[in-house]
Amino acid sequence: ALFERQDVIIVASVSCIYGLGSPVEYGEQVLSLRVGMQRSREEILRKLVAIQYTRNDYDFKRGTFRARGDILEIFPVSYTDAAVRVEFFGDEIERLREIDVLTGRVRGEREHIAIFPASHYVTGRERLRAAVRDIEEELAGQLERLRAAGKELEAQRLEQRTNYDLEM
């Protein structure tokens, strides 16, 4: 219908239109932790937030993490009843343990853990910036068309609805 007819409407998400949510980018966002690895606690916390995990010291559920001193606990979205405890000695990962989320009891030791993004719609910063630039250009073009057609009220309403900071 898209190629053969004039009366076709395409409905697509922003993710689809701007190529966000790519499987390749999703794979690049995986946080890999190994015993003996040199990574600061703060760097890992920033990465967790970047892959859409939230810090929550009270309601520990999938897609959250909590940090207390040299111990970081992560509840990966790919787990159902276990979490990962990362123990640091300075900037070195000293120990990785799988723990029961209800009791906190250690289930086992791990040498490596891969933490996958909390959402399939995770996107790298550069790709997100490019999408925001494209959206802003499209908005400017649409506002120009509305004003050229004498639809100032519609243009003002559109500006009000999109009046937020898209800067990254």
Side-chain angles (χ1 to χ4, degrees), residues 10-166:
I10 299 171
V11 178
S13 68
V14 171
S15 178
C16 178
I17 293 168
Y18 295 100
L20 305 177
S22 156
V24 173
E25 283 207 38
Y26 179 82
E28 290 172 355
Q29 299 294 326
V30 173
L31 173 61
S32 179
L33 302 174
R34 294 185 184 281
V35 173
M37 179 184 272
Q38 293 288 322
R39 295 220 24 209
S40 75
R41 177 180 168 270
E42 289 71 29
E43 180 184 348
I44 293 172
L45 295 178
R46 280 193 298 276
K47 177 66 175 180
L48 286 168
V49 170
I51 61 173
Q52 300 183 8
Y53 278 75
T54 55
R55 185 172 184 166
N56 193 326
D57 293 331
Y58 304 105
D59 187 19
F60 197 44
K61 58 186 177 188
R62 292 171 54 179
T64 64
F65 66 91
R66 56 187 177 200
R68 298 180 187 136
D70 288 343
I71 296 176
L72 169 63
E73 293 177 340
I74 307 165
F75 197 157
V77 293
S78 56
Y79 286 29
T80 55
D81 61 348
V84 176
R85 180 177 291 153
V86 183
E87 297 177 22
F88 292 90
F89 183 75
D91 284 347
E92 180 183 344
I93 296 175
E94 184 176 48
R95 182 180 276 164
L96 291 172
R97 294 179 166 182
E98 193 170 296
I99 61 168
D100 185 285
V101 292
L102 292 176
T103 65
R105 205 175 74 231
V106 176
R107 289 184 170 186
E109 298 281 331
R110 303 284 298 266
E111 287 298 313
H112 172 259
I113 184 73
I115 308 293
F116 291 90
S119 167
H120 288 286
Y121 301 106
V122 69
T123 301
R125 200 151 189 76
E126 282 309 309
R127 188 172 205 141
L128 197 57
R129 281 189 182 121
V132 167
R133 278 192 303 272
D134 290 348
I135 291 168
E136 287 173 334
E137 287 173 16
E138 249 182 73
L139 174 62
Q142 186 64 25
L143 289 171
E144 192 175 300
R145 283 188 287 281
L146 287 171
R147 290 195 171 110
K151 297 182 177 182
E152 186 61 36
L153 181 61
E154 289 86 346
Q156 287 177 0
R157 295 284 294 160
L158 182 59
E159 278 182 316
Q160 288 172 351
R161 292 179 68 198
T162 59
N163 192 17
Y164 51 87
D165 186 15
L166 291 176

